[in-house]
Amino acid sequence: MARNDPDSNRAPAETVISASNLSLTFETNDGPVHALKDVDLTINRGEFVSFIGPSGCGKTTFLRVLADLEQPTGGSVSVNGMTPREARMKRAYGFVFQAAGLYPWRTIAGNIKLPLEIMGLSKSEQNERVQKVLELVHLDGFGKKFPWQLSGGMQQRASIARALGFDADILLMDEPFGALDEIVRDHLNEQLLELWAKTNKTIGFVTHSIPEAVYLSTKIVVMSPRPGRVREVIESSLPRERPLDIRESAEFLAIAHRVREGLRGGHDDG
Amino acid sequence: MMLVLAALGVWAIGWGVNIWVSHQKPGRWQSVVSATVFGVTAVIMWQLVVTGLEVSPVILPPPSMIFTAFVSSTDILWADFIQTFVKGALSGYVIGCSAAFLTALAIDRSNFLKRGLLPIGNFVAALPIIGMAPILVMWFGFDWQSKAAVVVVMIFFPVLVNTVQGLDAAGKMQRDLMHTYAAGYWQSLFKLRLPAAAPFIFNGLKIASTLALIGAIVAEFFGSPIVGMGFRISTGAGRLELDLVWAEIVVAAIAGSAFYGIVALIERKATFWHPSQRK
């Protein structure tokens, strides 16, 4: 397994995602809802960035703005130096939703092929990539199964494989493990880190869980609700190589404590 | 009287056999066997009771008589079947379903059509078919074309409504997913929305398959050439040839069930992934 030298990733500090003064207001029947307000954020290549905060803090909305699934009402945002729409048209990112959302009429391999078919890749290239990503998420041999024949954890892994298939540099994940139990979640977190190390992608990851955020991230963005804004950005001092038991180390607990403090401050204001 | 008692005996035996069947290990054969036993019992009882009580064949002919009529007039029945089922019902079914499907796609694309066409479809569906049929016969002539037109009018709306509803069946997340792949309209349609709509569309197709034969037969009551199942039923009843009428009804029952069965079978193959079809 290839290991990444931390310095080689951090040295160029190339900006992949940047948002400045980003605002998004939903007009509802009960008046405007400020889902995002004046968000400034920069994400560099190869970073693993978690967004954490209570419900309604705009973390999912922010991710959806990056994916061009929501339109901001103010400020600017760029993904790979392009607008989110251009980035989407160039398939600059893979998106993993809260639920696996696999199409039940397609096999696992067929689901992973879906974006590849849309991109118009050749059959042999499709098969090659399917095989590669199935191995990455440890699902080799399950390609011919249908989604409803697999467990929830395996389905979510398949949906990650689907997002990896077209080899975008950026992976956006919206609470991908939120619906899974703790044991499966630990396992998938570990595998996700391994995958991140292998592929060196830039990952944006929305979560409700403080331990999950601290365990995975190089940078933790703490957000507060009403209006949704960035309260604090915490750079993690943990090494990139992280065994599961790092979660009992003093350093880990210190970062978790800072995140918790940040969240509490957010609540007081809200 | 003896024959009536014998009928009761047959009923008791049939009941007993079905109880025995239902206590066996469950399997696919059970439903087939118990349905067959039930059908055979009913036919034998019908025969025994009708002959035993000397019911007039005009009121209800015994199955043996219907069978004789069926065997001795297969050429008439076949010609009627071709005229009514193949030419009238089937062509109307194909035209009606395709028209409804294409209209559904158009309605789905434009909000204007959704507001304009759906109410018109509603209106057409509310027209009594008995009232429409004579008019359509006048428009399209006595031959099968007018029968197909009646079928089209009858089945258009159920297929349309089911398809429109089906095209909305794909979840928001699945659509968002297509959006993130930068998929175009046709790609989303063929790879996501039509497969997701399939269970709904098949629902419409199944409803239409039963309506099609009814429409084609009823339309013949209002004018037809001297061939066709509806023609034979109405003239046969007038001439008190009730055995021939019943033979036509048998043909209609077999054709109707087979048609529905084939559509249901295709549905099973096409939507194997749907929770209602998974084994």
Side-chain angles (χ1 to χ4, degrees):
Chain A
M1 187 180 72
R3 284 187 188 176
N4 285 297
D5 176 14
D7 292 328
S8 73
N9 293 316
R10 282 172 200 167
E14 181 192 346
T15 301
V16 176
I17 292 166
S18 78
S20 69
N21 279 326
L22 187 71
S23 296
L24 196 159
T25 310
F26 290 113
E27 293 298 338
T28 69
N29 291 334
D30 301 332
V33 173
H34 300 283
L36 291 172
K37 191 159 171 55
D38 301 329
V39 171
D40 291 294
L41 191 70
T42 309
I43 298 176
N44 294 329
R45 184 166 305 285
E47 276 189 311
F48 195 127
V49 182
S50 282
F51 299 87
I52 190 164
S55 301
C57 70
K59 52 195 191 300
T60 292
T61 308
F62 183 70
L63 214 62
R64 288 176 63 86
V65 167
L66 297 182
D68 191 37
L69 291 168
E70 306 285 355
Q71 301 307 319
T73 47
S76 67
V77 60
S78 79
V79 176
N80 267 356
M82 296 174 275
T83 66
R85 190 184 144 73
E86 286 162 350
R88 175 171 68 83
M89 298 314 280
K90 292 209 166 128
R91 287 133 180 149
Y93 63 85
F95 203 103
V96 179
F97 291 87
Q98 200 161 0
L102 300 163
Y103 295 178
W105 51 87
R106 281 172 172 257
T107 59
I108 296 299
N111 268 288
I112 298 170
K113 269 183 207 166
L114 177 75
L116 310 178
E117 283 170 17
I118 289 169
M119 289 165 70
L121 295 186
S122 71
K123 280 263 181 296
S124 58
E125 170 107 40
Q126 287 179 21
N127 290 329
E128 204 174 293
R129 289 205 188 183
V130 167
Q131 193 49 43
K132 200 179 94 189
V133 292
L134 277 177
E135 275 164 27
L136 269 176
V137 298
H138 303 285
L139 274 179
D140 27 338
F142 288 94
K144 289 203 172 73
K145 292 272 187 203
F146 283 95
W148 30 277
Q149 294 168 322
L150 302 185
S151 68
M154 288 165 102
Q155 287 185 26
Q156 196 54 278
R157 259 146 65 195
S159 88
I160 293 170
R162 179 178 57 185
L164 291 173
F166 50 104
D167 218 11
D169 295 337
I170 305 169
L171 196 56
L172 302 174
M173 308 175 91
D174 181 12
E175 289 186 52
F177 309 138
L180 304 174
D181 67 65
E182 187 112 20
I183 299 163
V184 177
R185 199 178 185 154
D186 275 357
H187 190 58
L188 291 183
N189 279 340
E190 212 178 359
Q191 288 184 358
L192 183 60
L193 275 186
E194 180 199 331
L195 196 136
W196 173 59
K198 268 191 213 168
T199 56
N200 196 29
K201 290 190 190 305
T202 311
I203 299 182
F205 188 94
V206 167
T207 178
H208 269 122
S209 154
I210 297 174
E212 188 172 66
V214 178
Y215 177 62
L216 293 172
S217 323
T218 55
K219 186 189 263 183
I220 300 158
V221 179
V222 181
M223 299 181 76
S224 66
R226 284 176 294 276
R229 52 168 41 140
V230 173
R231 171 145 295 272
E232 203 174 339
V233 177
I234 299 168
E235 298 277 351
S236 174
S237 50
L238 294 173
R240 284 175 85 96
E241 197 78 24
R242 298 172 187 183
L244 267 178
D245 52 18
I246 201 171
R247 296 183 301 183
E248 277 128 46
S249 70
E251 199 180 2
F252 184 95
L253 295 175
I255 298 169
H257 181 74
R258 273 185 67 195
V259 174
R260 195 167 288 116
E261 287 295 303
L263 285 170
R264 194 163 295 152
H267 276 303
D268 289 348
D269 271 16
Chain B
M1 208 53 210
M2 281 307 291
L3 289 173
V4 177
L5 288 178
L8 290 176
V10 170
W11 171 68
I13 292 169
W15 193 3
V17 171
N18 262 351
I19 287 176
W20 177 79
V21 167
S22 64
H23 279 90
Q24 298 306 302
K25 261 189 274 171
R28 249 186 100 74
W29 63 279
Q30 255 174 346
S31 57
V32 177
V33 169
S34 54
T36 315
V37 170
F38 182 84
V40 170
T41 311
V43 169
I44 294 175
M45 281 180 68
W46 175 358
Q47 175 77 35
L48 293 173
V49 169
V50 167
T51 24
L53 296 177
E54 291 173 10
V55 176
S56 157
V58 174
I59 302 297
L60 186 64
S64 58
M65 202 170 154
I66 297 170
F67 180 74
T68 318
F70 190 99
V71 174
S72 63
S73 41
T74 41
D75 47 344
I76 295 178
L77 293 174
W78 178 251
D80 290 349
F81 171 79
I82 295 291
Q83 172 71 17
T84 306
F85 186 81
V86 179
K87 289 188 187 164
L90 215 53
S91 57
Y93 184 81
V94 171
I95 296 168
C97 291
S98 345
F101 180 76
L102 295 176
T103 311
L105 288 186
I107 284 182
D108 173 72
R109 280 212 89 164
S110 118
N111 212 15
F112 171 72
L113 288 180
K114 199 173 232 160
R115 287 194 200 145
L117 270 182
L118 269 187
I120 291 177
N122 243 318
F123 179 71
V124 173
L127 295 175
I129 197 65
I130 302 290
M132 285 304 291
I135 296 172
L136 289 171
V137 170
M138 258 192 268
W139 285 358
F140 296 100
F142 279 179
D143 210 349
W144 63 269
Q145 289 87 344
S146 61
K147 297 2 172 229
V150 170
V151 173
V152 169
V153 171
M154 263 182 108
I155 68 173
F156 185 78
F157 190 66
V159 177
L160 176 74
V161 170
N162 275 289
T163 310
V164 168
Q165 201 186 351
L167 287 171
D168 266 339
K172 183 173 186 324
M173 207 189 73
Q174 294 179 321
R175 285 161 199 251
D176 278 351
L177 195 64
M178 278 304 200
H179 192 67
T180 67
Y181 298 152
Y185 169 80
W186 294 105
Q187 285 174 323
S188 304
L189 183 70
F190 283 113
K191 291 189 192 295
L192 168 62
R193 301 181 62 211
L194 282 182
F200 291 83
I201 297 174
F202 274 107
N203 220 2
L205 293 182
K206 282 196 293 191
I207 296 170
S209 74
T210 55
L211 287 178
L213 189 57
I214 298 172
I217 291 176
V218 168
E220 287 183 359
F221 291 179
F222 299 95
S224 67
I226 51 165
V227 60
M229 295 161 81
F231 166 80
R232 200 74 58 199
I233 289 170
S234 61
T235 54
R239 289 191 207 149
L240 299 185
E241 292 172 340
L242 269 301
D243 49 349
L244 189 59
V245 171
W246 277 95
E248 289 285 0
I249 292 173
V250 170
V251 174
I254 293 172
S257 324
F259 190 19
Y260 183 90
I262 289 169
V263 176
L265 197 73
I266 298 171
E267 177 188 30
R268 217 182 154 68
K269 296 280 170 225
T271 62
F272 65 93
W273 50 271
H274 194 259
S276 67
Q277 305 284 357
R278 285 178 207 160
K279 284 181 199 128

